[in-house]
Amino acid sequence: MTGGFVIQASYFVAAVLFIIGLKRMSSPVTARGGIIWAGAGMVLATVVTFAWPGMENYLLMIAAIGVGGVLAWWSGKRVAMTDMPQMIALYNGMGGGAAAAIAAVELLGGETHGFVVTLLALLGALIGAVSFSGSLIAFAKLQGWMKKPIRFAAQNKTNAILLAATILAGIVILIQGHGGPTIVAVFFVLALAIGILVTVPIGGADMPVVISLYNALTGLAVAFEGFVLDNAAMIIAGTVVGSAGTLLTQLMAKAMNRSMTSVLFSGFGDAAVEGTEVEGTMKPIEASDAGVMMAFARKVIIIPGYGMAVAQAQHKIWELTQLLQERGVKVTFAIHPVAGRMPGHMNVLLAEAGVPYDIIYDLDEINQEFDNADVALVIGANDVVNPAARTDTSSPIYGMPILNADKADNVIIVKRGQGKGFSGIENALFFLDNSRMLYGDGQAVASELIHSIKEL
Ligand code: NAP
């Protein structure tokens, strides 16, 4: 058995581990295990790379793995659940940057590559660099460092000119089969500028879709560089990330009723677009009364949102659910695909608290159930239950599918005050006759509800 065969066979095993990992991530029950399978694949692929024929620079490789590993471990342990999207944006950007860096080394090397290899290296370089700088801007936006979308006249035209110039620089490199430092530097500066300029005008509300898109692009860039290096693990891992990312992007865009062209080329989450003003008053309720209302209900649907994550109220909410169940109340959870700040955010929190999966439903499965629910308990959710999405054509969230909490007989909304949701618009649900506002921090309110039901 030759060394080459062992390397290729190990890469094949690593690729299988990635795919098993991804498959297991499709259900919350097996998702944790999925991460471990995929991680094992990554460890195997990394270790085997040391045995690659002609490999040098072992010290540099170990130092890079050491620095990267420590930083990732430290930041992964420290990050708050609510900051996870920007963390993903950052890591994703690093992947794109790494692919672009590989391409830079290949393009700069004195050796002339064939046409196809140079073309693939250039494509990976372009996509990786755009994904790198675009993801960094997405990180800055989600972190709150860049609050407003930046728009200027002829923005799309400027981007088109930049892209044309980048392609031109790419053609020069392609004709030579490799590039001198100047032309390669020009190519990368232009590509990085495209990533920045395409991302700065995009509003915060569209960021999850954009991050998912960059994730898909990073996968594609890695796959292209895999062809350049003749590395099967990179080709397969990149393709898997690229296709999974593309599917996720489509699903998220659909959940927010946005097309990719409108995300990338028109404004959203713009403070100027506020929708029709909502009339009426918000009517408060005490925890003791809300507790009675739920304790004597037949059917309660709980809708968690970003505020539940902020309050870390999931454990108390599960305790409340069990109390209600003991009294014979049928309790279910309704999860909107973009509730919280990342795909699956609410599922992760509820799973952490031990809520069984068979009482958690997706939007499509539960939306018709609100018609015969006695109480809809909205805990820290806002945009995902805003009926303006159904009725107000001037609303920036018009057309986004929402959870029909307003159709329940009674709606109890737990939030701290008059704070708006992610989209920055008022919520018509809070003003309806059947709605009551239960003010306070999500966790504290859940404790009060538990207390009031125990007192009955
Ligand atoms: P949301 O619209 O952001 O609203 C969250 C609400 O929680 C706020 O109105 C806030 O009101 C309340 N809140 C905050 N802290 C709280 C606390 N400690 N206790 C109780 N309430 C608290 O949340 P959502 O309904 O989950 O909607 C998600 C939004 O984020 C959508 O617009 C979506 O497009 C966007 N988004 C989603 C993702 C994703 O992938 N899931 C990623 C990024 C953005 P108060 O301030 O009054 O308490």
Side-chain angles (χ1 to χ4, degrees), residues 77-411:
K77 284 263 174 213
R78 251 183 100 248
V79 67
M81 200 61 181
T82 43
D83 291 341
M84 206 53 100
Q86 44 270 55
M87 177 105 169
I88 292 169
L90 200 58
Y91 281 3
N92 180 46
M94 295 301 146
I102 291 173
V105 172
E106 289 300 311
L107 293 170
L108 274 173
E111 142 195 18
T112 308
H113 296 291
F115 179 82
V116 176
V117 172
T118 314
L119 181 65
L120 290 174
L122 282 166
L123 282 175
L126 174 61
I127 299 172
V130 168
S131 180
F132 173 68
S133 55
S135 297
L136 291 188
I137 297 292
F139 166 82
K141 285 185 176 240
L142 288 170
Q143 188 71 11
W145 293 350
M146 280 178 74
K147 294 219 185 321
K148 290 234 175 300
I150 301 172
R151 304 212 172 92
F152 53 86
Q155 201 146 14
N156 289 339
K157 221 178 260 171
T158 312
N159 293 348
I161 293 170
L162 275 179
L163 182 64
T166 318
I167 293 173
L168 207 63
I171 291 174
V172 173
I173 299 173
L174 196 58
I175 291 169
Q176 296 173 353
H178 67 99
T182 314
I183 189 74
V184 172
V186 167
F187 178 87
F188 275 102
V189 168
L190 289 169
L192 291 168
I194 293 175
I196 294 171
L197 289 182
V198 166
T199 320
V200 287
I202 300 174
D206 274 336
M207 267 314 133
V209 186
V210 172
I211 290 174
S212 180
L213 177 70
Y214 283 143
N215 180 37
L217 290 180
T218 291
L220 208 60
V222 169
F224 282 140
E225 298 315 323
F227 277 110
V228 173
L229 296 181
D230 199 15
N231 185 313
M234 281 174 72
I235 297 173
I236 298 173
T239 314
V240 167
V241 172
S243 45
T246 307
L247 277 176
L248 180 62
T249 311
Q250 280 176 348
L251 285 173
M252 291 184 71
K254 193 167 157 246
M256 297 169 86
N257 198 37
R258 306 278 288 146
S259 71
M260 276 326 292
T261 19
S262 62
V263 168
L264 292 173
F265 304 115
S266 64
F268 181 63
D270 199 335
V273 200
E274 293 232 331
T276 312
E277 210 171 298
V278 186
E279 285 174 10
T281 53
M282 298 192 207
K283 297 160 282 293
I285 189 172
E286 294 298 321
S288 50
D289 295 333
V292 171
M293 201 188 267
M294 284 197 281
F296 292 99
R298 279 173 306 112
K299 198 166 168 183
V300 172
I301 303 180
I302 302 179
I303 303 166
Y306 175 65
M308 184 182 82
V310 177
Q312 285 293 299
Q314 62 273 22
H315 295 279
K316 289 284 168 201
I317 288 293
W318 174 223
E319 199 181 328
L320 172 69
T321 304
Q322 287 169 295
L323 259 187
L324 291 171
Q325 286 174 332
E326 281 163 21
R327 298 182 60 94
V329 183
K330 182 168 189 266
V331 187
T332 46
F333 285 81
I335 310 289
H336 191 281
V338 293
R341 289 293 181 271
M342 61 179 176
H345 200 171
M346 297 299 118
N347 301 75
V348 171
L349 294 178
L350 295 179
E352 180 201 315
V355 179
Y357 303 116
D358 59 0
I359 61 167
I360 302 175
Y361 294 91
D362 289 336
L363 183 138
D364 294 340
E365 296 169 322
I366 200 150
N367 242 358
Q368 68 284 8
E369 297 293 319
F370 284 101
D371 287 320
N372 47 42
D374 302 302
V375 180
L377 176 70
V378 178
I379 167 122
N382 192 336
D383 292 343
V384 301
V385 286
N386 192 342
R390 279 200 308 260
T391 52
D392 181 2
T393 48
S394 67
S395 170
I397 62 166
Y398 179 70
M400 171 170 132
I402 55 145
L403 286 164
N404 294 336
D406 55 320
K407 303 261 169 92
D409 288 347
N410 300 284
V411 190

